[in-house]
């Protein structure tokens, strides 16, 4: 039988040393942003019932979920998304709390990606959910928080702003199956013009088809909204475009300049998005590191209808970028190595405790003699060794006289 005890499953990996430091730094920086704006942390279970994610509005393919069963034979999944569990929690444990609710999370999500895609199946994600609030004020608050969160971690990013309802209103008017509609969405999302044209060429060339054909190219500044209005000047689309223009102009006042882009081809997979959607991209990462939007109808599925908006950030992607840029403070060595001679082990531990109370960072020697302890200190660049016997002898490792 083949053994897998020396490798990790596909789509997962170990984190070591500086990676862990960078990971924690990113988590703490983002949590500080969220808490400063009144968001409170919640944690949902890593295991959830499959039913939470099988809702029609969930938009998560069944084949992308890791499944298992409990002792009663009920189908469970490893959490593939954080918004749906938070919607469940809000509808049950938080139903009597005053609204709006400002929640944030930092937890792992699991997606079973096809082989050779180069994507992780295990991703640390952090984000916020603003529940029970609708309108421009709430949308702007969440987007400004997203922009601040990215700014804390990376200097160079761009934010794309779109509207889920724009594509949906066009696609729903086409005489096609759900499978073809999803193929169209994927082609637009990946800006695969050839694949999109192949599908649309088989349809009657209505104004809706012509508008969808242009969607992947409708990105840029304020002029994009005028182009879209000319393509499909219905009452619903005009209302959508007017609202996008309001948000765009308001966010431009923050001095974002070229970092803010309108993208009407922003058609994310999650079907629970109902209105604005937005994504954050940073140089060096092909996929979006931040995705979010408004999902005003999701909580209806859990029996607690209320408006909501939020976003999630890929912590792993930001960590990788910070490591590559060298923007991570490496772990410093201990200040002192404490070595207890034979029979003085407990005295050495007490001495370490005394030094720790004084603010020094200490390691305790596990070696049998002083020479081994000194060699270890030199290798680990620990500047000082305290030898503990019936008295304490302090040695500077880098002085010529420092010897065991």
């Amino acid at each position: 039988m083949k053994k897998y005890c020396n490798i990790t499953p596909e789509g997962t990996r170990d984190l070591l040393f500086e990676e862990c430091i960078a990971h924690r730094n990113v988590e703490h920086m983002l949590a500080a942003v969220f808490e400063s704006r009144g968001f409170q942390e919640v944690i949902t279970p890593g295991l959830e019932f499959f039913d939470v994610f099988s809702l029609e509005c969930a938009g998560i393919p069944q084949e992308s979920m890791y499944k298992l069963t409990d002792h009663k034979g009920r189908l469970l999944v490893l959490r593939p998304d954080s918004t749906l569990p938070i919607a469940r929690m809000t509808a049950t444990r938080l139903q009597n709390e005053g609204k709006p609710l400002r929640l944030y999370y930092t937890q792992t999500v699991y997606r079973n990606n096809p082989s050779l895609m180069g994507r992780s199946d295990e991703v640390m994600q952090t984000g916020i959910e603003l529940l029970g609030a609708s309108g421009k004020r709430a949308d702007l608050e969440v987007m400004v928080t997203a922009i601040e969160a990215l700014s804390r971690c990376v200097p160079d990013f761009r934010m794309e702003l779109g509207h889920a309802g724009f594509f949906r209103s066009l696609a729903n008017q086409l005489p096609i199956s759900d499978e073809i509609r999803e193929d169209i969405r994927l082609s637009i999302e990946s800006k695969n013009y050839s694949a999109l044209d192949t599908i649309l060429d088989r349809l009657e060339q209505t104004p809706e088809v012509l508008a969808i054909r242009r969607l992947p190219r409708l990105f840029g500044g304020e002029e994009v909204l005028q182009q879209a209005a000319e393509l499909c000047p219905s009452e619903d689309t005009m209302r959508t475009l007017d609202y996008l223009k309001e948000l765009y102009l308001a966010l431009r006042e923050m001095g974002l300049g070229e970092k803010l882009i309108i993208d009407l081809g922003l058609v994310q997979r999650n079907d629970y998005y109902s209105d604005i959607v937005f994504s954050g991209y940073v140089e060096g990462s092909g996929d979006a590191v931040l995705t979010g939007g408004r999902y005003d109808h999701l909580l209806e599925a859990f029996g607690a209808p209320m408006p909501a908006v939020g976003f999630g950030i890929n912590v792993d992607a930001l960590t990788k970028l910070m490591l590559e840029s060298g923007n991570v403070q490496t772990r410093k060595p201990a200040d002192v190595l404490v070595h207890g001679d034979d029979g003085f082990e407990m005295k050495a531990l007490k001495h370490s405790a005394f030094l720790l109370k004084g603010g020094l960072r200490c390691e305790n020697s596990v070696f049998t003699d002083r020479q081994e302890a000194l060699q270890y200190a030199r290798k680990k660049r620990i500047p000082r060794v305290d030898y503990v016997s019936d008295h304490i002898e302090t040695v500077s490792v880098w002085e010529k006289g420092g010897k065991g």
Side-chain angles (χ1 to χ4, degrees), residues 123-137:
V123 175
M124 179 61 72
Q125 188 182 76
T126 186
I128 65 170
E129 311 292 352
L130 179 55
L131 304 117
S134 61
K136 184 170 69 172
R137 288 181 177 84

Side-chain angles (χ1 to χ4, degrees), residues 101-148:
L101 289 170
R102 285 181 167 83
L103 309 178
Y104 85 88
Y105 58 88
T106 301
Q107 54 193 28
T108 306
V109 294
Y110 301 88
R111 295 287 184 102
N112 193 359
N113 292 303
S115 298
L116 305 179
M117 283 190 67
R119 292 177 177 170
S120 297
D121 288 12
E122 181 182 39
V123 175
M124 179 61 72
Q125 188 182 76
T126 186
I128 65 170
E129 311 292 352
L130 179 55
L131 304 117
S134 61
K136 184 170 69 172
R137 288 181 177 84
D139 291 344
L140 285 173
E141 177 182 353
V142 168
M143 290 200 66
V144 167
T145 304
I147 291 166
E148 183 183 351

Side-chain angles (χ1 to χ4, degrees), residues 90-340:
T90 299
T92 53
R93 298 195 60 191
L94 298 176
Q95 60 180 317
N96 295 322
E97 291 288 322
K99 305 300 185 297
L101 289 170
R102 285 181 167 83
L103 309 178
Y104 85 88
Y105 58 88
T106 301
Q107 54 193 28
T108 306
V109 294
Y110 301 88
R111 295 287 184 102
N112 193 359
N113 292 303
S115 298
L116 305 179
M117 283 190 67
R119 292 177 177 170
S120 297
D121 288 12
E122 181 182 39
V123 175
M124 179 61 72
Q125 188 182 76
T126 186
I128 65 170
E129 311 292 352
L130 179 55
L131 304 117
S134 61
K136 184 170 69 172
R137 288 181 177 84
D139 291 344
L140 285 173
E141 177 182 353
V142 168
M143 290 200 66
V144 167
T145 304
I147 291 166
E148 183 183 351
L150 283 183
S151 300
R152 289 287 183 93
C153 299
V154 288
D156 190 18
F157 66 90
R158 79 175 190 271
M159 188 71 70
E160 297 186 354
L161 175 63
H163 200 291
F166 190 79
F167 168 72
R168 189 177 296 121
S169 65
L170 295 173
N172 287 343
Q173 297 181 58
L174 304 184
I176 55 176
S177 65
D178 290 341
E179 290 76 15
I180 298 298
R181 189 175 289 109
E182 174 62 10
D183 289 341
I184 291 174
R185 188 202 66 78
L186 284 170
S187 300
I188 295 172
E189 183 183 43
S190 61
K191 298 194 184 300
N192 189 334
Y193 304 114
S194 176
L196 181 62
D197 287 340
T198 299
I199 298 171
L200 297 180
D201 285 346
R202 298 195 294 264
L203 303 176
E204 181 184 352
Q205 300 305 293
T206 62
E208 291 76 23
V209 170
L210 296 176
I212 288 176
R213 196 186 294 273
R214 287 286 306 280
L215 276 184
R217 298 174 174 86
L218 289 177
F219 62 93
E222 190 178 343
E223 73 282 355
V224 168
L225 301 175
Q226 181 60 38
Q227 296 170 17
E230 294 170 358
L231 283 172
C232 196
S234 69
E235 185 177 340
D236 285 344
T237 56
M238 292 304 295
R239 189 183 304 112
T240 295
L241 297 174
D242 287 343
Y243 185 61
L244 277 178
K245 183 176 180 179
E246 279 189 66
L247 293 180
Y248 177 75
L249 293 178
L251 292 168
R252 282 293 296 264
E253 293 179 11
M254 294 183 61
L256 291 174
E258 298 304 318
K259 291 185 177 181
L260 186 63
I261 297 173
I262 294 172
D263 187 355
L264 294 178
L266 196 60
V267 285
Q268 297 163 337
R269 176 64 182 92
N270 293 73
D271 292 339
Y272 53 70
Y273 288 128
S274 58
D275 294 273
I276 64 159
V277 289
F278 50 91
S279 294
Y281 294 86
V282 298
E283 189 174 352
S285 181
D287 293 327
V289 299
L290 181 151
T291 57
R294 176 164 286 283
Y295 51 98
D296 283 350
H297 306 297
L298 176 61
L299 277 93
E300 294 174 6
F302 296 92
M306 71 179 74
V309 60
F311 65 81
I313 298 177
N314 185 329
V315 173
D316 296 335
L318 291 182
T319 299
K320 180 175 181 289
L321 291 168
M322 292 185 71
L323 284 166
E324 290 174 351
S325 68
N327 191 23
V328 177
Q329 187 175 5
T330 58
R331 179 180 176 271
K332 294 180 180 179
D335 297 310
V336 185
L337 177 68
V338 177
H339 176 82

